[in-house]
Amino acid sequence: MLSTEKIHNAFKAICEEVEKLEGEEMSETTRQTLAKIRSIAKHQSDIRTAEKGSCRAHEKS
């Protein structure tokens, strides 16, 4: 497997693990942090400073 495939699969795994937690009870801060982690993994780039709405970072795939 190429290293880019490994990286892609690692980010995909992060998204999957976050999705497993979506139904769990947690604070709103934790929920927002997990959403941010999922968005970063989904886009495979640091979207934290992206203008809101400039990407589909907060939509479920």
Side-chain angles (χ1 to χ4, degrees):
M1 184 182 301
L2 298 173
S3 62
T4 54
E5 286 181 74
K6 288 180 181 179
I7 292 169
H8 172 75
N9 288 337
F11 280 118
K12 183 178 174 184
I14 292 168
C15 289
E16 291 170 356
E17 292 303 315
V18 169
E19 287 173 7
K20 288 179 185 179
L21 296 172
E22 287 180 338
E24 299 295 320
E25 189 173 320
M26 62 187 77
S27 71
E28 186 58 30
T29 301
T30 302
R31 191 169 305 286
Q32 289 172 0
T33 300
L34 284 174
K36 190 179 297 182
I37 290 168
R38 184 173 187 264
S39 294
I40 291 168
K42 183 177 177 184
H43 293 276
Q44 298 181 19
S45 62
D46 188 351
I47 53 84
R48 292 176 290 174
T49 58
E51 183 178 324
K52 188 171 184 172
S54 64
C55 65
R56 298 180 180 265
H58 300 290
E59 293 182 7
K60 288 181 110 175
S61 56

